[in-house]
Amino acid sequence: MTVEKFTPNKTTTLETPKKVLKESAALSEGQSFDLGSRIGFISLGCPKNLVDSERILTQLRTEGYEVVNTYHDSDLVIVNTCGFIDSAVQESLDTIGEALKENGRVIVTGCLGVKDDEIREVHPNVLAVTGPHAYEEVLNQVHEYLPKPVHNPFEDLIPDHGVKLTPKHFAYLKISEGCNHRCTFCIIPSMRGDLVSRPIGEVLSEAERLKAAGVKELLIISQDTSAYGVDVKHKMDFWNGMPVKTDMKSLCEKLGEMGLWVRLHYVYPYPSVDKTVPLMAEGKILPYLDIPFQHASPKVLKAMKRPGQAEKVLERINKWRELCPEIVIRSTFIVGFPGETEEDFEFLLDWLEQAQLDRVGCFKYSPVEGAKANELGNEVPEDVKEQRYIRFMEKQQAISTQKLKARIGTEMQVLIDEVDEEGAIGRCYADAPEIDGMVYLNGEQGVAPGDLVTVKIEESDEYDLWGTLVQK
């Protein structure tokens, strides 16, 4: 099931769930399922939405429903939508429309689901609409239109870690829902609410189950990873009979004892982050921080209602590099935010040159319905946004090119993601799935997905590395 009008790389949607759903549907062919229990599932949006999809699919499979990969084989289609930016909203609406056209029976959930009226205005024939992480409500809606099948759970066992929409060797681990920030360009709090941290014992137990299932890499996600535990005042919880404090440092310490790659995403540059960098230096967790800085100009940051002052952030980055020279920092930025002047943009470019970040993404600002930024006025013309985007990416490409060139001749641990007729493709510690670069081993067929191998780096370009397997 694909979207006819939209290419996912223009939004926040990941490719991995589509591949895994297709593979799982193929594996279930030939199994005995009740007629009228076949569900098509489309997962759009970011990793946080992907985890919501995994929870819904796990419950569906537990109850005996079959997940299929084509509209015409489905008795009903569920679309888990994204509503973060306008292009994602359009992708979601297009996908709902395609599902209605091809199947006719559609349940909508996810972030865009909070805008029930808007969805029904475009697509009045959807069966039901719910918002994000409304797992029980989605299941109730499925029961209404597809009664629970007669099911023997011992004939179709669901693994302890549930249904995953990632390859077996990596998984997303969501530690909280919602966000306490009120950034003017963002409507996530209105969709997902304020911060609600998961009990740390529950999170660590899930991590243990994932490791037992063969996961080699955990990608820690939330809306604000640094704030983990703030809502419960960092209270003590229990895991394996031992007390553990509900905060990011304690979480990282315990995850670091599991012998996995642990990668931190969506980290705000609070002082608490300083406490996790020594764990990176000690090899407990990956020396990788995903921090969405968004801008550097104090004036623009104030308009965005973002924390952080440019000089202090640079000082903190330098301190992290002193503590852990191997640390890799990735970030995202917005150009063309309302009121952004040429002076503001030049300030951002100068800051980027000083910061020397390893991995960087950039978005041209687009209005999001319901965002406070819409009230700011002083919109930046589209042609100026495009020009600034190009200049920004040229600056970062030059930085990235030099940083990757410096890795030529070194040996790096690489986690293999896939092997095809051209060779093996993997990632080093500096690369998160689908958002960072790759390490290519041309012609290498003697490895398998999930293998952790040593590679000698021989070539590089702006984003990727090439190397050969080191036989040890």
Side-chain angles (χ1 to χ4, degrees):
M1 290 180 284
T2 58
V3 182
E4 294 174 346
K5 300 180 183 178
F6 236 87
T7 50
N9 61 5
K10 293 182 181 178
T11 69
T12 58
T13 294
L14 303 174
E15 282 291 312
T16 303
K18 188 191 302 181
K19 294 178 183 177
V20 175
L21 280 167
K22 185 175 182 180
E23 291 168 1
S24 64
L27 288 173
S28 67
E29 286 183 5
Q31 294 186 30
S32 177
F33 291 91
D34 280 6
L35 293 176
S37 66
R38 299 165 301 181
I39 294 177
F41 199 100
I42 302 171
S43 182
L44 305 176
C46 66
K48 295 178 282 291
N49 227 35
L50 178 149
V51 173
D52 290 348
S53 295
E54 290 175 339
R55 289 195 60 175
I56 296 169
L57 285 166
T58 297
Q59 189 58 39
L60 288 170
R61 288 290 308 280
T62 299
E63 294 184 0
Y65 291 98
E66 179 186 6
V67 178
V68 296
N69 193 51
T70 65
Y71 290 116
H72 299 293
D73 290 333
S74 308
D75 298 301
L76 180 151
V77 177
I78 299 173
V79 181
N80 191 8
T81 59
C82 179
F84 180 55
I85 54 178
D86 283 355
S87 57
V89 170
Q90 190 59 51
E91 179 191 28
S92 294
L93 291 172
D94 286 350
T95 304
I96 295 166
E98 182 181 278
L100 284 168
K101 174 185 173 184
E102 299 295 334
N103 182 277
R105 292 162 57 82
V106 178
I107 289 175
V108 177
T109 187
C111 287
L112 188 61
V114 299
K115 300 180 179 180
D116 187 318
D117 292 345
E118 293 183 26
I119 292 172
R120 293 183 184 278
E121 183 178 348
V122 180
H123 301 300
N125 294 326
V126 295
L127 298 177
V129 179
T130 65
H133 54 88
Y135 316 116
E136 291 186 10
E137 199 171 346
V138 173
L139 267 294
N140 289 338
Q141 292 167 350
V142 171
H143 297 157
E144 182 178 345
Y145 296 99
L146 291 183
K148 286 186 182 182
V150 177
H151 172 55
N152 183 348
F154 296 104
E155 294 178 356
D156 183 27
L157 292 174
I158 304 301
D160 288 342
H161 61 277
V163 174
K164 308 306 291 182
L165 293 180
T166 50
K168 291 181 180 179
H169 60 279
F170 72 81
Y172 294 98
L173 182 61
K174 189 195 288 190
I175 63 173
S176 64
E177 285 286 359
C179 182
N180 289 341
H181 294 284
R182 295 297 182 265
C183 302
T184 57
F185 56 82
C186 181
I187 57 173
I188 291 298
S190 66
M191 294 177 171
R192 291 185 173 263
D194 290 337
L195 175 72
V196 179
S197 299
R198 291 179 64 194
I200 193 167
E202 180 183 303
V203 173
L204 292 171
S205 294
E206 182 178 349
E208 277 190 317
R209 292 193 297 272
L210 290 168
K211 179 184 177 181
V215 166
K216 304 286 183 66
E217 176 183 14
L218 289 175
L219 299 107
I220 310 305
I221 60 170
S222 66
Q223 300 298 335
D224 180 1
T225 298
S226 308
Y228 179 61
V230 166
D231 56 312
V232 294
K233 300 181 179 178
H234 302 300
K235 72 175 183 180
M236 286 291 181
D237 192 18
F238 286 88
W239 175 61
N240 289 343
M242 298 292 291
V244 187
K245 190 177 181 180
T246 308
D247 64 17
M248 186 171 71
K249 179 174 181 286
S250 299
L251 177 66
C252 290
E253 285 175 337
K254 294 302 179 184
L255 290 174
E257 296 171 2
M258 294 186 184
L260 302 168
W261 275 17
V262 177
R263 190 182 300 278
L264 299 180
H265 285 280
Y266 312 112
V267 178
Y268 275 72
Y270 301 146
S272 60
V273 178
D274 299 348
K275 299 176 183 178
T276 65
V277 175
L279 299 176
M280 299 178 182
E282 295 165 13
K284 301 283 183 65
I285 62 175
L286 292 182
Y288 178 102
L289 279 176
D290 172 14
I291 303 178
F293 290 119
Q294 306 297 11
H295 215 280
S297 162
K299 189 191 82 178
V300 176
L301 286 171
K302 184 177 180 181
M304 290 179 168
K305 288 195 174 179
R306 294 284 295 179
Q309 297 176 349
E311 290 305 319
K312 289 186 177 180
V313 171
L314 285 174
E315 289 175 11
R316 183 157 284 144
I317 289 173
N318 290 332
K319 181 181 177 183
W320 295 338
R321 286 173 173 156
E322 288 174 10
L323 291 169
C324 181
E326 292 299 309
I327 195 169
V328 160
I329 300 172
R330 93 165 313 276
S331 189
T332 51
F333 294 84
I334 297 172
V335 297
F337 190 77
E340 181 192 61
T341 63
E342 180 62 23
E343 183 181 6
D344 293 321
F345 180 69
E346 288 287 352
F347 188 100
L348 172 59
L349 291 184
D350 290 343
W351 187 90
L352 197 63
E353 181 66 37
Q354 294 178 70
Q356 291 287 301
L357 303 180
D358 301 86
R359 300 295 198 186
V360 170
C362 182
F363 295 91
K364 291 175 286 186
Y365 175 78
S366 63
V368 178
E369 186 177 348
K372 290 291 184 180
N374 299 340
E375 303 169 8
L376 295 175
N378 297 319
E379 292 185 15
V380 177
E382 288 300 322
D383 60 334
V384 176
K385 289 181 190 177
E386 178 66 20
Q387 181 190 53
R388 289 177 183 172
Y389 172 81
I390 293 171
R391 290 163 61 193
F392 180 96
M393 292 309 299
E394 286 176 347
K395 168 70 74 173
Q396 180 55 33
Q397 283 172 357
I399 293 170
S400 178
T401 298
Q402 290 304 310
K403 280 184 165 283
L404 293 182
K405 191 175 182 179
R407 295 194 182 276
I408 294 176
T410 65
E411 293 185 0
M412 304 190 74
Q413 291 288 298
V414 171
L415 185 62
I416 302 299
D417 279 338
E418 59 180 299
V419 181
D420 59 24
E421 64 277 1
E422 295 183 8
I425 306 170
R427 295 174 291 107
C428 67
Y429 78 91
D431 306 314
E434 295 202 46
I435 58 174
D436 293 327
M438 307 296 295
V439 182
Y440 294 93
L441 283 70
N442 290 345
E444 181 59 62
Q445 302 287 331
V447 293
D451 286 351
L452 192 59
V453 298
T454 302
V455 174
K456 184 173 183 179
I457 305 302
E458 297 173 335
E459 294 182 46
S460 66
D461 64 8
E462 300 99 320
Y463 302 114
D464 301 315
L465 298 169
W466 283 260
T468 54
L469 195 66
V470 176
Q471 301 295 336
K472 288 189 178 179

